[in-house]
């Protein structure tokens, strides 16, 4: 059990970095045959995923103030990771102006807050950590999103992605039932836009649609509703890890992020040993990501043991 769970946690974090690096290296190509090698660097998606994992480990669960501090510190160390427009401005408000993490600071940048995919792209460690506690998962995802993304659509996108990761961890390879997976994640969303997208994903899976139709119906943009369902679809439309991330990246648009999210779900289902060795060896910081996955798994076990004994 231990070995399988750690393999899934590791697959998820490495899968994020690999999908991200593959998308970052894509350079406009949409020909599947040309998308084979990952780039030397991952981007903000993985950098922020690392911040979420580090914070969960250190606090043995979600702590908004500490997670925001981790985001700021990691950003200051590597500001060149290709962050979205909003988060660095929010980090400045926290750092220089002493603003609190839970003030909904993104509402000062976007009317109603940001619905970018930045909350969903980094949420995978929460899906891992709370994989068998849906209520705690929801609470942590909402809190972690609000640091930079308080728009309902960004939060729902992050919830959907976190639940997809949690479900992928709980689904033993090769037992995936694609229809059942889609039905279960659909149960998490409340807004019409996500329900419609997930319904469309089911129809597209049934008729083995081409990429043009997939992009048209699901989207490939930087907005959460135009990328989270697309990443879930890429996972479900594929037969192995490699196909899932290559397909996700081939859809273009926000390729690093759709690649990262598809990679997180696929890695959590297939486990690290089913990720091609050449990618595992060439992925930036892979040793640290592996170590982080193991520590996250240990922290999640300690926490659930603590819950049972209290
Ligand atoms: C560079 C109108 C809105 C909006 C609103 C749009 C990295 C804006 C990663 C904004 C990801 C963009 C990506 C991103 C993650 C959001 N009205 N437009 N209310 N809310 N947008 O700034 O962390 O690549 O066009 O919050 O979500 O790889 O520029 O950043 O691809 O979404 O950035 O939203 O970005 P932000 P983010
Ligand atoms: Mg990025
Ligand atoms: Mg991106």
């Amino acid at each position: 059990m231990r070995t399988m769970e750690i393999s899934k946690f590791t697959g998820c974090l490495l899968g994020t970095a690999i999908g991200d690096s593959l998308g970052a290296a894509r350079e406009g190509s949409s020909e599947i045959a040309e998308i084979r090698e990952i780039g030397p660097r991952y981007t903000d998606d993985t950098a922020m995923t690392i911040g979420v994992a580090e914070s969960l480990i250190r606090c043995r669960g979600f702590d908004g103030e500490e997670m925001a501090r981790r985001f700021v510190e990691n950003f200051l160390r590597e500001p060149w990771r290709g962050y979205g427009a909003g988060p660095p401005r929010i980090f400045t408000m926290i750092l220089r102006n002493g603003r609190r993490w839970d003030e909904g600071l993104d509402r000062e940048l976007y009317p109603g807050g940001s619905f970018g995919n930045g909350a969903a792209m980094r949420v995978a460690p929460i899906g891992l950590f709370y994989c068998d506690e849906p209520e705690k998962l929801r609470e942590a995802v909402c809190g972690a999103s609000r640091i930079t993304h308080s728009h309902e659509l960004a939060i729902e996108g992050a919830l959907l992605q976190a639940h997809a990761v949690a479900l992928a961890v709980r689904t033993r390879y090769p037992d995936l039932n694609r229809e059942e997976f889609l039905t279960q994640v659909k149960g998490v969303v409340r807004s019409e836009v996500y329900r419609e997208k997930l319904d469309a994903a089911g129809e597209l899976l049934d008729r083995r649609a081409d990429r043009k139709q997939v992009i048209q119906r699901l989207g490939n943009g930087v907005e959460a509703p135009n990328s989270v369902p697309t990443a879930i679809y890429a996972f479900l439309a594929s037969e192995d890890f490699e196909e899932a991330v290559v397909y996700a990246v081939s859809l273009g648009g926000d390729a690093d992020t759709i690649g990262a999210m598809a990679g997180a779900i696929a890695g959590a289902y297939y486990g690290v040993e089913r990720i091609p060795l050449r990618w595992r060896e060439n992925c930036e910081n892979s040793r640290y990501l592996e170590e982080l996955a193991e520590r996250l798994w240990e922290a999640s076990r300690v926490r659930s043991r603590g819950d049972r004994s209290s």
Side-chain angles (χ1 to χ4, degrees), residues 45 254 256-257:
D45 308 55
D254 193 357
D256 64 336
T257 303

Side-chain angles (χ1 to χ4, degrees), residues 20 24 42-46 81-84 117 121 254-257 260:
D20 184 3
Y42 54 71
T43 75
D44 60 322
D45 308 55
T46 307
R81 285 282 181 194
Y83 279 76
N117 52 20
M121 74 185 186
D254 193 357
D256 64 336
T257 303

Side-chain angles (χ1 to χ4, degrees), residues 20 43-46 48 81-90 106 109-122 148-149 151 154 221-224 227 253-258:
D20 184 3
T43 75
D44 60 322
D45 308 55
T46 307
M48 294 199 80
R81 285 282 181 194
Y83 279 76
R89 296 174 64 193
I90 292 168
D106 56 314
L109 308 177
Y110 302 102
S114 170
F115 48 70
N117 52 20
M121 74 185 186
R122 67 184 185 225
T148 50
H149 292 71
H151 196 290
V222 74
E223 305 81 13
S227 49
D254 193 357
D256 64 336
T257 303
I258 299 173

Side-chain angles (χ1 to χ4, degrees), residues 29-292:
S29 177
S30 61
E31 289 311 312
I32 286 194
E34 290 169 16
I35 304 167
R36 278 284 166 256
E37 297 317 320
I38 61 173
R41 295 249 175 267
Y42 54 71
T43 75
D44 60 322
D45 308 55
T46 307
M48 294 199 80
T49 301
I50 289 173
V52 171
E54 288 172 340
S55 181
L56 291 171
I57 293 165
R58 179 187 282 228
C59 304
R60 304 223 177 277
F62 174 67
D63 179 319
E65 194 174 336
E66 207 282 334
M67 192 174 282
R69 197 178 315 130
R70 200 98 337 263
F71 288 166
V72 172
E73 279 177 21
N74 289 353
F75 169 72
L76 290 175
R77 207 172 44 248
E78 301 178 330
W80 42 265
R81 285 282 181 194
Y83 279 76
R89 296 174 64 193
I90 292 168
F91 301 153
T92 304
M93 293 186 217
I94 294 174
L95 189 70
R96 300 229 182 98
N97 311 335
R99 304 287 300 273
R100 278 184 56 90
W101 68 277
D102 56 356
E103 286 184 47
L105 296 168
D106 56 314
R107 290 192 212 126
E108 295 173 27
L109 308 177
Y110 302 102
S114 170
F115 48 70
N117 52 20
M121 74 185 186
R122 67 184 185 225
V123 82
I126 301 181
L128 296 176
F129 192 83
Y130 294 110
C131 65
D132 3 79
E133 295 167 287
E135 272 320 303
K136 293 208 162 102
L137 181 147
R138 178 175 282 274
E139 209 177 296
V141 171
C142 292
S145 301
R146 282 203 184 96
I147 302 171
T148 50
H149 292 71
S150 57
H151 196 290
E152 204 46 49
L153 290 177
I155 297 174
E156 273 228 318
L159 273 171
L160 184 56
Q161 172 67 8
H163 273 280
V165 165
L167 188 54
V169 174
R170 295 198 311 266
T171 308
R172 191 185 279 259
Y173 175 85
D175 297 342
L176 176 67
N177 176 327
R178 289 167 166 75
E179 213 175 301
E180 179 63 28
F181 190 96
L182 207 49
T183 307
Q184 290 222 30
V185 293
K186 218 186 294 172
V188 172
V189 296
R190 291 173 187 160
S191 66
E192 202 53 38
V193 48
Y194 283 105
R195 281 217 199 105
E196 275 171 14
K197 292 261 168 142
L198 293 171
D199 283 341
E203 285 168 32
L204 293 162
L205 278 175
D206 285 345
R207 64 182 151 88
R208 298 175 172 272
D210 63 34
R211 277 185 288 157
K212 221 165 115 188
Q213 292 172 302
V214 172
I215 297 165
Q216 206 169 41
R217 303 250 344 240
L218 303 182
N220 62 0
V222 74
E223 305 81 13
N226 289 329
S227 49
V228 180
T230 316
I232 293 172
Y233 176 82
F235 164 63
L236 294 175
S238 309
E239 296 296 328
D240 59 29
F241 178 88
E242 180 165 1
E243 193 190 347
V245 289
V246 167
Y247 182 77
V249 165
S250 79
L251 295 171
D254 193 357
D256 64 336
T257 303
I258 299 173
M261 294 190 292
I265 306 167
Y269 171 60
Y270 293 108
V272 67
E273 62 279 3
R274 292 187 191 84
I275 295 179
L277 189 60
R278 70 180 198 286
W279 283 351
R280 277 188 264 159
E281 285 174 343
N282 293 334
C283 177
E284 185 188 6
N285 261 338
S286 59
R287 295 302 293 270
Y288 182 60
L289 288 161
E290 284 166 14
E291 182 197 313
L292 213 51

